[in-house]
Amino acid sequence: MKSVAALFISLGFMFMATAQDSWNITHNGKMRLQAAEEAELKNTFSLRITDMNKKGSLVLAYKEVEGEKDWVRSIMVVSPADAELASFKGTTVTIQNASLRSLFKKSGILKLYTMSLPSDPAKAALVRVRRIHLATITLTK
């Protein structure tokens, strides 16, 4: 009987361990990407130039399963040459199409990354930071 209870407890921990953050990206109200794992080749989509000329926006919503208390999440837009084009604080980012067009003028491909740091600068200095690739966006005709 104890072994059955141990099995259920270990399965419970296994399911809790597999819970992970997820994110979705919509453009002009249309779902473009839903993901829960970092996969640079898979998490890629393109936007049409004609859709960029419409009134609307790109919305990235990042859902943390277990967010660290007093940590600040950042979402960055980066060029393929690793130059940061824009940065936002929080788990939800809205970029209007006009701003998105100007970002595409700076770089033909946009990469979205996220990272989280403690809000206390002393603690942030001790943390090793790794950015997580969320998506790569290309522009098509």
Side-chain angles (χ1 to χ4, degrees):
M1 193 60 139
K2 288 182 182 180
S3 62
V4 173
L7 176 66
F8 282 117
I9 290 171
S10 64
L11 284 175
F13 282 121
M14 213 168 75
F15 286 121
M16 286 176 21
T18 60
Q20 56 188 348
D21 294 354
S22 62
W23 58 93
N24 62 55
I25 301 173
T26 59
H27 183 249
N28 293 345
K30 183 178 179 183
M31 183 63 67
R32 304 300 298 182
L33 176 74
Q34 287 183 306
E37 65 181 343
E38 185 177 18
E40 232 176 296
L41 296 176
K42 182 180 167 188
N43 296 344
T44 301
F45 64 93
S46 60
L47 299 176
R48 294 187 329 202
I49 294 172
T50 55
D51 291 336
M52 298 287 294
N53 292 329
K54 299 176 183 175
K55 186 174 181 173
S57 60
L58 180 118
V59 179
L60 184 147
Y62 189 89
K63 183 181 177 199
E64 296 174 308
V65 173
E66 293 182 20
E68 296 283 340
K69 186 178 178 187
D70 297 327
W71 282 51
V72 178
R73 178 152 305 278
S74 299
I75 296 174
M76 293 91 45
V77 180
V78 179
S79 74
D82 214 27
E84 187 174 298
L85 304 174
S87 181
F88 307 92
K89 300 278 187 217
T91 57
T92 303
V93 172
T94 302
I95 305 172
Q96 298 299 323
N97 280 342
S99 298
L100 203 54
R101 277 194 308 270
S102 68
L103 290 172
F104 272 115
K105 284 181 184 175
K106 294 177 184 177
S107 176
I109 298 172
L110 303 178
K111 294 187 175 203
L112 303 176
Y113 291 95
T114 187
M115 66 180 174
S116 185
L117 283 170
S119 57
D120 179 8
K123 288 181 182 177
L126 301 174
V127 174
R128 185 173 179 192
V129 179
R130 184 180 88 79
R131 65 184 188 183
I132 298 168
H133 177 265
L134 301 175
T136 299
I137 309 170
T138 58
L139 197 58
T140 60
K141 293 183 180 187

